[in-house]
Amino acid sequence: DQQVKQNSPSLSVQEGRISILNCDYTNSMFDYFLWYKKYPAEGPTFLISISSIKDKNEDGRFTVFLNKSAKHLSLHIVPSQPGDSAVYFCAASPFGNEKLTFGTGTRLTIIP
Amino acid sequence: GAVVSQHPSWVICKSGTSVKIECRSLDFQATTMFWYRQFPKQSLMLMATSNEGSKATYEQGVEKDKFLINHASLTLSTLTVTSAHPEDSSFYICSALPGAPQETQYFGPGTRLLVL
């Protein structure tokens, strides 16, 4: 049972445009959500997080939106840059930064 | 930034042998380390949580006698796959959580295991 789903395995976006990556979850016990970015041959690196008491968190070009009623979160990257090309994982946890459940990832390709 | 290393980065072994994978936090002390496994086209699945000096906590469905975890120091955790079989072939990745509040998990680069 996949509790965290990223239904788009890949996404291509023109440089300078907005990239929107989506994630859905089923477990209502999740109260902390994170996005990680992964380059080939490297481990995931933390990008941005949001707790369930918020519906938006912003950090530079990255914004995460959380819709608790729809059990949906999204990551917006604007403007998109070639260095953003990577695999993006969303993750969720009922206990802050521990016991993370990951989605399957979305491969983002930024087209110059 | 915080760095976590894993060794080896890839390993090929014969069925029935044991394989040890090391996970080190290079520039911080990790009170908690995690071990994940990722099969092709699937997500990272948490296998176990280990705290320094205590027994690891395994997720449901993970055999603790097959996947031995030792967290002997605040900078080193090891995962030993005992009597490995082809179905254990996977990508194993560790992460480390510093003790400071609000810190995030820092991931190693992963170890690819192929059991022949």
Side-chain angles (χ1 to χ4, degrees):
Chain A
D1 175 33
Q2 190 72 26
Q3 296 186 59
V4 178
K5 300 178 185 178
Q6 292 176 259
N7 291 319
S8 298
S10 63
L11 175 68
S12 294
V13 174
Q14 206 77 31
E15 181 180 358
R17 297 288 184 98
I18 183 170
S19 295
I20 299 176
L21 296 98
N22 294 302
C23 180
D24 297 293
Y25 62 96
T26 58
N27 189 338
S28 57
M29 297 300 292
F30 290 145
D31 73 350
Y32 193 68
F33 304 88
L34 309 92
W35 284 94
Y36 284 85
K37 176 179 178 180
K38 184 181 184 304
Y39 292 119
E42 295 182 13
T45 54
F46 170 74
L47 264 181
I48 192 168
S49 64
I50 188 167
S51 77
S52 60
I53 61 173
K54 294 186 175 181
D55 55 18
K56 177 183 174 181
N57 189 26
E58 203 169 345
D59 184 2
R61 296 186 298 115
F62 302 93
T63 304
V64 56
F65 295 91
L66 175 63
N67 183 333
K68 290 188 292 293
S69 60
K71 292 190 174 67
H72 176 84
L73 65 154
S74 62
L75 174 68
H76 293 208
I77 306 172
V78 57
S80 300
Q81 299 174 354
D84 296 330
S85 294
V87 177
Y88 289 78
F89 291 94
C90 68
S93 168
F95 309 117
N97 278 309
E98 301 201 21
K99 291 186 75 69
L100 298 182
T101 299
F102 280 84
T104 50
T106 297
R107 181 177 301 279
L108 175 65
T109 302
I110 305 302
I111 304 164
Chain B
V3 179
V4 175
S5 70
Q6 276 185 247
H7 179 79
S9 56
W10 60 272
V11 57
I12 302 173
C13 69
K14 291 183 179 179
S15 186
T17 60
S18 294
V19 174
K20 180 185 282 189
I21 302 169
E22 292 186 349
C23 175
R24 292 181 186 273
S25 56
L26 298 185
D27 49 5
F28 66 97
Q29 293 186 329
T31 56
T32 307
M33 286 184 166
F34 304 89
W35 286 94
Y36 296 83
R37 179 169 55 182
Q38 184 181 25
F39 292 109
K41 299 193 185 302
Q42 295 186 24
S43 57
L44 281 74
M45 299 292 292
L46 179 64
M47 298 174 67
T49 301
S50 75
N51 291 292
E52 185 264 339
S54 61
K55 288 184 179 180
T57 303
Y58 291 81
E59 295 300 303
Q60 192 172 13
V62 178
E63 300 173 58
K64 60 182 180 182
D65 293 331
K66 182 166 188 61
F67 299 100
L68 300 179
I69 292 171
N70 184 282
H71 192 162
S73 77
L74 285 172
T75 59
L76 173 65
S77 176
T78 59
L79 168 68
T80 301
V81 183
T82 62
S83 186
H85 289 99
E87 57 266 30
D88 299 322
S89 298
S90 188
F91 186 67
Y92 293 87
I93 191 164
C94 72
S95 70
L97 188 62
Q102 305 305 316
E103 277 281 14
T104 185
Q105 293 185 29
Y106 295 96
F107 284 81
T111 298
R112 188 160 300 282
L113 170 64
L114 177 60
V115 185
L116 302 176

